[in-house]
Amino acid sequence: MFVVVCALLVITLVGGQALMSMREQQKSLLDTLNDQVDIIKSCDESLLPFDELVIEQCDAKRLSPSATGDAAPSAEALNEGYRAVVAEIAPMRAQLEDSIASMETLQSSLSDNDDKEAASQVVTAARSRLNMLDAGVNIIEESLMATEAFLKARSGWNAVINADAAIREATALAEEMSKENILASQAKGNEALAFLEEAQQDFSQAEAAYPGLDLAAFEAYVVKRMESQQAALAADDAYLSRNKEELEAQNSRYNALEEEAAALAQELGEDDPEQIVALRFYKEIEADQGAYEAERLKAGNADAFLREYLGTAS
């Protein structure tokens, strides 16, 4: 009987020690998981403003011809917003990569399926955030180029509109030919030429700001209008110097160039230059936007699982 009692005591002691060991392992696991979740939460302090900036770039209304006033895109504001978060990206990335490495090492020592899944969800939560950073940076950097190009394209197109208005005024003034009217027409013609030169420069700068952007059709149209205005100004000079032959020659040249400009205008289609920039931008970010949204959802699902697991496990 004594031997049996001793055996039972040994079994109980060993069983108790095993239970204590399991509890210690579980506590260690929970502590590790909580530590890693806390690290991820600390990363979210920087990730949240980053997320807001990315979502703002993906708004289809941001680069829109109707975006004016306070709603108009601002290259300065975007640069400032990016500078505010970019310094946090490298340390955040390092912390998330460390969390992934820590959890992947821990997973190999776990036997309980629920614990393995919890560790896996920490990896998912961290890796999804890393993937969000990659896709988000791509979107913001694309937006930096597109925003500058959009604003230059808008400025250029407004200059074309202003030039067209000045040309119409110059033409109306020249209908009743007199020295006074022709001088006034010349002034408007020079004003139009200045607007066209501004437009040409703006379109060129838009293309330089956004590699791959093609505004060649608009530039060709502007160049042709510049040539026609130069002919109109030469005709005005011929009139003022009473050179009839030169006047007729320059008028003929002006009419021919305006016909060529009209043909080029027909080829422009219905989209303004700024719309072309916007269409290219949203097409370029389409894959990254889809990836960002998918990773954002994965991160949210992983977070929800971990909140429930840690709540239940504790």
Side-chain angles (χ1 to χ4, degrees):
M1 176 65 74
F2 178 75
V3 173
V4 172
V5 170
C6 286
L8 288 172
L9 288 172
V10 169
I11 292 172
T12 301
L13 180 61
V14 170
Q17 289 175 336
L19 181 61
M20 287 180 63
S21 177
M22 288 176 61
R23 285 177 176 173
E24 287 176 1
Q25 288 178 352
Q26 179 69 10
K27 184 178 184 303
S28 176
L29 169 64
L30 289 175
D31 288 344
T32 302
L33 287 174
N34 273 306
D35 288 345
Q36 297 307 317
V37 169
D38 286 343
I39 289 172
I40 292 172
K41 284 180 179 178
S42 71
C43 288
D44 282 349
E45 292 179 10
S46 299
L47 187 61
L48 286 173
F50 176 84
D51 180 63
E52 290 176 3
L53 190 62
V54 172
I55 297 302
E56 181 183 311
Q57 307 320 301
C58 296
D59 186 352
K61 295 179 181 179
R62 183 174 177 273
L63 296 185
S64 166
S66 63
T68 57
D70 293 339
S74 167
E76 291 79 8
L78 177 53
N79 268 301
E80 185 179 340
Y82 193 33
R83 283 196 300 270
V85 298
V86 72
E88 304 295 328
I89 290 176
M92 188 180 358
R93 190 186 298 278
Q95 286 181 306
L96 292 170
E97 287 171 347
D98 287 346
S99 289
I100 291 171
S102 174
M103 284 296 98
E104 287 179 339
T105 300
L106 179 64
Q107 274 181 297
S108 61
S109 66
L110 298 175
S111 57
D112 183 84
N113 288 334
D114 288 342
D115 295 342
K116 282 185 175 182
E117 180 61 21
S120 176
Q121 290 296 330
V122 172
V123 171
T124 297
R127 181 164 286 127
S128 293
R129 284 166 169 81
L130 280 175
N131 293 337
M132 285 172 67
L133 287 174
D134 290 338
V137 166
N138 289 342
I139 290 169
I140 294 171
E141 291 183 346
E142 191 79 21
S143 186
L144 285 167
M145 295 185 293
T147 300
E148 186 176 350
F150 180 88
L151 295 171
K152 283 295 180 182
R154 166 175 283 185
S155 175
W157 192 238
N158 286 337
V160 169
I161 293 170
N162 291 334
D164 191 59
I167 289 168
R168 286 197 302 272
E169 289 184 55
T171 302
L173 285 165
E175 286 178 358
E176 294 184 13
M177 298 183 73
S178 67
K179 183 178 179 179
E180 183 181 26
N181 280 358
I182 294 303
L183 287 172
S185 178
Q186 269 191 326
K188 281 295 176 183
N190 281 315
E191 184 181 316
L193 195 56
F195 279 128
L196 291 168
E197 289 170 351
E198 180 186 335
Q200 184 184 36
Q201 184 178 36
D202 284 341
F203 291 151
S204 177
Q205 289 176 347
E207 289 177 318
Y210 201 2
L213 176 66
D214 184 7
L215 299 178
F218 293 92
E219 291 178 288
Y221 170 74
V222 167
V223 168
K224 193 61 64 177
R225 294 305 299 273
M226 289 170 68
E227 290 175 357
S228 72
Q229 276 314 289
Q230 287 162 352
L233 290 168
D236 289 341
D237 284 336
Y239 172 82
L240 293 171
S241 62
R242 299 181 182 280
N243 188 335
K244 186 176 180 181
E245 290 183 3
E246 181 66 10
L247 175 60
E248 290 176 354
Q250 291 299 337
N251 276 334
S252 296
R253 179 167 168 260
Y254 170 79
N255 290 331
L257 289 168
E258 279 292 280
E259 286 182 12
E260 291 177 33
L264 290 173
Q266 289 294 320
E267 296 174 8
L268 296 180
E270 296 182 0
D271 290 333
D272 295 342
E274 58 196 296
Q275 289 174 296
I276 290 175
V277 175
L279 289 170
R280 180 172 187 269
F281 168 68
Y282 291 116
K283 182 178 180 182
E284 288 295 320
I285 69 165
E286 189 174 352
D288 281 317
Q289 184 180 358
Y292 188 87
E293 291 172 353
E295 295 300 333
R296 198 167 184 257
L297 180 61
K298 283 183 189 178
N301 289 338
D303 292 351
F305 177 92
L306 289 169
R307 282 194 298 270
E308 183 178 353
Y309 173 84
L310 292 172
T312 303
S314 58

